[in-house]
Structures are given as structure tokens and as C-alpha cells.
Amino acid sequence: MTRFDTNFINLKESFPVVINQDDSLFFKIIPITYNDGIRNPRLPRKTSKQTNLQIDCNYIFEFAFNSIENYYSEKEKYKVEIQVFKANDKLGSGDLDNYCKAILDAITFTKKVWLDDKQVDDLSIKRFYDSKSSFSYIELKIIKILKTYQI
């Protein structure tokens, strides 16, 4: 059951999270679109002048991650790969660290993958410029990793 009033967010074109054959998770994040006709589409990021994007990100991720079961572990460590694809629109040009924080916090909120984002031991984020795409988007991959210990 959702914890947000979702009448203002358009979820019709949202993608579910996919569990790949290698047990990694993949999620294509398209811009959050609003039904109110006032707010512009947004990619998940830490802040926005228009709206509280973190709450909206939490809802989008809760909706998308609802399709997975039993991936969560308190003891696992994770590798997270974030790729921002910048198209010829006004999206995707923000500071990369702001995308990263919003995405990790939203995943933590779902309680479907990890208990806390301190379980992420390997993190990469890259931006690519894609003039062929009609809109910017983000691809997210989460991989369970083996723990390594220092002596």
C-alpha cells in the first residue's frame, strides 16, 4: 500500500525493476511527470525549486520496486552503477552527486534492497550525452558483491 497521494504523478509509462539472470537489479528511470499541468518533468535528484523531489522519488521507487521480492538483505554489500543519459532537453544536466543521493535514499526508503545505503561499498555514476533520445533518463544497476576484509 502506498504512503503517498499519487493523483498528481503519472505512472503510466514507468518501468518496473528487473532482476537479471546474474541476480543484479536493473531499473530504467524516466522523468517523473506530473498530472497537474504546472510542474515540469524531473529526473530524481536531491533538490528542486518546484517540488520536494525526494518525496516524489521515494514514491516512484516504491512503485517500481514493489515488483521484486526477497532481494533485501541486512548483511549484503552492494555495487551501484548509475548512468545518466542527457538528451536535448532541460533534464539530466544537474550535479551528478544530487542524482546519486536521491536515488540511494529512495532505494533505502523502499526497504526492498538494503537496510541502509551504508551497505553500498562500490558506487559509480557517469553522464552520457545522447542526442538521438527524445528525453533524458537514468539507468540504475545494483549488484550484490562479496565482502572483502582487510587484515
Side-chain angles (χ1 to χ4, degrees):
M1 181 164 189
T2 186
R3 290 172 267 226
F4 301 105
D5 178 7
T6 61
N7 294 327
F8 64 94
I9 295 179
N10 180 357
L11 294 171
K12 292 177 185 167
E13 297 177 19
S14 295
F15 292 95
V17 173
V18 175
I19 301 177
N20 295 318
Q21 287 184 342
D22 66 356
D23 202 32
S24 65
L25 296 178
F26 177 81
F27 182 32
K28 182 174 181 179
I29 306 163
I30 60 173
I32 299 168
T33 56
Y34 298 92
N35 294 324
D36 61 10
I38 299 169
R39 289 174 283 184
N40 296 323
R42 308 304 264 174
L43 284 172
R45 63 175 205 235
K46 197 169 104 184
T47 59
S48 171
K49 293 178 185 175
Q50 287 184 326
T51 186
N52 185 340
L53 264 180
Q54 189 64 60
I55 290 173
D56 297 346
C57 293
N58 288 351
Y59 172 68
I60 295 296
F61 277 68
E62 184 178 57
F63 179 81
F65 278 73
N66 192 41
S67 65
I68 66 169
E69 299 280 336
N70 301 327
Y71 196 82
Y72 169 84
S73 173
E74 291 180 36
K75 298 179 181 178
E76 292 285 345
K77 297 294 183 180
Y78 299 91
K79 175 180 183 177
V80 177
E81 298 173 351
I82 301 168
Q83 296 181 332
V84 179
F85 292 88
K86 170 74 176 103
N88 291 328
D89 57 18
K90 294 181 181 181
L91 304 175
S93 59
D95 293 350
L96 287 178
D97 61 324
N98 287 336
Y99 295 112
C100 189
K101 183 69 174 155
I103 289 169
L104 294 179
D105 285 350
I107 294 168
T108 301
F109 179 82
T110 70
K111 301 292 186 219
K112 291 282 192 161
V113 179
W114 53 64
L115 181 62
D116 191 285
D117 56 13
K118 69 182 174 188
Q119 291 176 254
V120 176
D121 277 356
D122 189 342
L123 175 63
S124 70
I125 184 165
K126 298 176 184 175
R127 184 181 356 247
F128 300 92
Y129 295 89
D130 184 2
S131 59
K132 295 178 184 174
S133 181
S134 57
F135 60 89
S136 296
Y137 61 96
I138 297 172
E139 289 184 353
L140 169 69
K141 187 172 184 179
I142 302 170
I143 305 158
K144 290 180 184 177
I145 58 175
L146 296 174
K147 295 179 193 175
T148 57
Y149 298 96
Q150 291 183 336
I151 298 176

